[in-house]
Amino acid sequence: MFDFAIIGGGIAGTSAAARLSHLGGVILLEGEDSLAYHASGRSAALFERNYGKPPVIALNMASLDYHRDANGGVLSPRGLMLVGSAELEDRYTADLTRMSLTPITVEEARAFIPILDPSVVDRAAYDAEAWDIDTDRLVQNFAKETRANGGEVRTKSAVTAIRRTPSGWVLTLKDGAEIAARNLVNAAGAWVDVVAEMAGIPPLGFTPLRRSMARLPAPGGFDVSSWPMVFGPGEDWYAKPDAGALIVSPGEEDPSTPHDAFADDMVLAEGLARYEEFVTEPVTRLLANWAGLRTFSPDRNLVLGPSPHDAHFIWCAGQGGYGFQSAPAASQLLADLIAGRQPELDAQTVSALNPQRFNRQ
């Protein structure tokens, strides 16, 4: 019998497995052929410490040292820019305040990104303290830590049934095999409420929200490698360099069901049109497109810790768009709670992430 069976091999599950492998025997179960296949494999992969609600920002801050130090670090310089126009002043101002960005001139913005259209862009702000995350390296670092501590990492291991026993849980896999564990960790991304219902635990009302992405050739033949990530006002589009090309997202949050997501052509076209309004280079062709599901709890904060309905059912859910940047601190908090240790995070943040908060409402 394992001490912890973790369902979900994205960044939530792999980081939880690594931390919990110091507390007991761990098995990590991923239904797909590889780890980080769904939302984690489709992330924009940026660390921006002020991105998210206050509890998420606290997790971001507490994760920074790990990101910098883990096996030489998983961060590389990127920077974040916000651009705006007179027509969208309110949205721009709200984003500027929310992310604590520093205003810069339009000329300075165009020095970073020459394709910005000065006839539209009349304001900009910047934060140099934003970094690319090597997401594959981070996931593999966590998986390596799990294995080094004797844990198992299994792909192609979809869970089809869960039953409670006096000593813990028995999970039935797609191939008919059974896994017994004292504790069940629900890190199943868009499927977390499905897993909860399978285990007889009341679902919390998570909502998977689709977000699409298009990959474009480098606009105008520019070398985009040093460009910052850039947000339109209200995050109704954003763009980021990626391996010599540019990825552009409509920034949509369309409610969905748990599935292998794909981009909506009309939503993608509308988002690319919003992006084109701010630049001088038109979009002439796409290299690829895809979508992922960013899953949020009802209050859009992560849910970390034992269920009030069963202390041996542990939530590690609701990462939304913050999974990679918050994973080191989120998984450490989870391990601290299970081990009965005093968390390093402040009590207000811990309470804001506790599953118990939904029972108080």
Side-chain angles (χ1 to χ4, degrees), residues 200-252:
I201 300 295
L204 297 182
F206 288 90
T207 304
L209 303 176
R210 187 195 64 224
R211 178 151 294 184
S212 303
M213 198 78 73
R215 185 179 175 87
L216 316 178
F222 284 97
D223 177 2
V224 302
S225 59
S226 64
W227 290 8
M229 186 172 185
V230 56
F231 279 72
E235 200 177 334
D236 65 357
W237 64 268
Y238 55 82
K240 182 175 182 285
D242 181 67
L246 196 68
I247 54 176
V248 179
S249 173
E252 87 274 22

Side-chain angles (χ1 to χ4, degrees), residues 279-350:
V279 299
T280 57
E281 295 290 334
V283 175
T284 57
R285 64 188 179 99
L286 306 188
L287 300 175
N289 66 76
W290 62 92
L293 300 178
R294 303 159 78 246
T295 300
F296 289 92
S297 72
D299 63 7
R300 294 181 72 92
N301 282 319
L302 282 72
V303 182
L304 302 170
S307 166
H309 302 282
D310 189 327
H312 296 281
F313 182 94
I314 300 158
W315 291 96
C316 182
Q319 281 71 18
Y322 321 113
F324 275 104
Q325 61 182 22
S326 66
S331 56
Q332 185 61 58
L333 172 59
L334 196 73
D336 289 342
L337 294 172
I338 292 169
R341 299 187 295 245
Q342 179 65 36
E344 295 181 6
L345 294 164
D346 65 275
Q348 184 176 356
T349 297
V350 174

Side-chain angles (χ1 to χ4, degrees), residues 91 194 199 230 249 258 353:
R91 291 185 183 183
V194 174
V230 56
S249 173
L353 302 171

Side-chain angles (χ1 to χ4, degrees), residues 256-272:
S256 184
T257 57
H259 72 292
D260 190 352
F262 54 89
D264 181 285
D265 289 343
M266 183 58 68
V267 169
L268 204 57
E270 291 171 349
L272 289 171

Side-chain angles (χ1 to χ4, degrees), residues 14-69:
T14 54
S15 59
R19 302 297 197 181
L20 296 177
S21 68
H22 295 271
L23 303 180
V26 165
I27 184 166
L28 175 65
L29 301 169
E30 167 56 48
E32 301 294 346
D33 293 349
S34 60
L35 299 175
Y37 175 82
H38 287 285
S40 293
R42 307 169 196 190
S43 167
L46 188 80
F47 183 94
E48 166 52 56
R49 64 197 186 287
N50 292 318
Y51 186 54
K53 299 182 74 172
V56 175
I57 292 173
L59 290 173
N60 297 342
M61 297 291 195
S63 296
L64 183 54
D65 285 345
Y66 183 97
H67 284 310
R68 284 174 170 161
D69 299 339

